[in-house]
Amino acid sequence: MILELDCGNSFIKWRLVLGRDSKVCGGGVVGSDEELVQAVRRQSVAVRACRLVSVRTDQETSRLVDALEQAFSIRCVCAQPAAELAGVRNGYEEYERLGLDRWLALVGAYHQARHACLVLDLGTAVTSDFVDADANHLGGFICPGVPLMRNQLRTHTRRIRYDDVVAERALQSLSPGRSTAEAVERGCSLMLQGFVHTQLDLARECLGESFEIFLTGGDASLVVGMIPGARVMPDLVFIGLAMACPLD
């Protein structure tokens, strides 16, 4: 069994896969190294190796690797920046500055599509990446996602106070808000949709009319209805991770 990890700044997404076809046998999201170790132990399986991608500091990543190697007596392999991976060429002027999660997601997307694609990751931050038919990464964009926009308004505007249950209820419609919660939640959702519309227009300019769209991240559900034919792939980063860190 192989343990795969996508280590973000706030959470760790994990899954256990088996065999060459990477059959998923378990997984989840945790908030700390300790929670991860306990979650994997509860699976009661033999973990033989670990591969991971991390956007955390080197110190934080090393601490996690040490904890895993000690807990499960395994070797951990970490994805590294690259100018090229599996035939896909990194488009950043300084390739090592491209976020590793974005890099692996766009590599994974291209190998799913085998032609031009637009990758939209809709999480805490929202990112887009453009890959042409010849596997050249053309660059992309980064902006705040709905969680960041919402939290900034809640933090810096004293009269904006409501809980997550109210927030979820507010998104049942996109008509003009008749309460602060409705106005904020629907406004953030519309900003996200506006960003996506712009990316689709840019993709047509950069890639032509024939390209595939991939959606990943926790807020993909907010825009999937406006992009017929888009492929929703929550584990897109893991597809690229397997290419970056093959394990025998």
Side-chain angles (χ1 to χ4, degrees):
M1 199 75 69
I2 295 174
L3 175 63
E4 296 183 329
L5 306 176
D6 178 4
C7 306
N9 291 304
S10 302
F11 300 100
I12 302 171
K13 185 176 181 179
W14 65 276
R15 70 179 194 176
L16 289 163
V17 298
L18 178 65
R20 290 184 175 274
D21 59 351
S22 295
K23 179 183 177 182
V24 179
C25 301
V29 178
V30 294
S32 69
D33 299 358
E34 293 77 14
E35 288 180 36
L36 173 64
V37 170
Q38 293 305 316
V40 175
R41 278 180 172 157
R42 284 195 293 272
Q43 300 298 303
S44 299
V45 297
V47 180
R48 65 178 181 84
C50 171
R51 56 187 167 215
L52 64 93
V53 55
S54 176
V55 298
R56 299 179 168 195
T57 65
D58 291 342
Q59 183 178 17
E60 290 172 324
T61 302
S62 294
R63 188 161 56 241
L64 172 59
V65 167
D66 290 344
L68 291 171
E69 290 181 344
Q70 181 175 354
F72 301 107
S73 301
I74 56 173
R75 179 174 68 97
C76 296
V77 181
C78 301
Q80 300 297 324
E84 183 173 336
L85 174 60
V88 181
R89 288 167 287 281
N90 194 315
Y92 263 30
E93 294 177 356
E94 299 178 75
Y95 71 84
E96 65 276 7
R97 304 286 291 179
L98 176 62
L100 276 172
D101 50 351
R102 282 177 64 195
W103 172 232
L104 296 183
L106 71 89
V107 170
Y110 181 82
H111 278 269
Q112 292 293 301
R114 294 293 177 178
H115 60 87
C117 56
L118 167 64
V119 183
L120 297 169
D121 188 342
L122 310 173
T124 303
V126 170
T127 65
S128 66
D129 284 286
F130 302 77
V131 186
D132 70 15
D134 296 320
N136 297 303
H137 173 225
L138 305 181
F141 297 91
I142 306 172
C143 72
V146 170
L148 278 179
M149 288 190 284
R150 176 193 298 127
N151 291 339
Q152 284 297 303
L153 284 169
R154 287 182 178 180
T155 301
H156 296 289
T157 307
R158 293 178 181 176
R159 292 184 180 273
I160 295 181
R161 295 288 185 272
Y162 56 89
D163 59 28
D164 292 337
V165 174
V166 173
E168 184 175 352
R169 191 161 55 240
L171 284 173
Q172 293 176 358
S173 166
L174 287 180
S175 61
R178 296 173 64 88
S179 69
T180 298
E182 289 179 354
V184 169
E185 293 300 318
R186 295 173 188 179
C188 290
S189 181
L190 289 172
M191 288 190 71
L192 179 64
Q193 291 184 20
F195 176 84
V196 170
H197 274 302
T198 301
Q199 301 311 300
L200 294 174
D201 290 340
L202 288 169
R204 293 185 188 99
E205 293 179 15
C206 297
L207 305 174
E209 292 298 325
S210 179
F211 61 90
E212 193 149 359
I213 303 163
F214 291 84
L215 297 176
T216 190
D219 284 331
S221 61
L222 296 178
V223 302
V224 66
M226 57 184 277
I227 316 175
R231 296 174 64 173
V232 180
M233 300 191 69
D235 292 338
L236 193 55
V237 169
F238 288 130
I239 296 174
L241 177 61
M243 297 178 191
C245 303
L247 294 171
D248 296 330

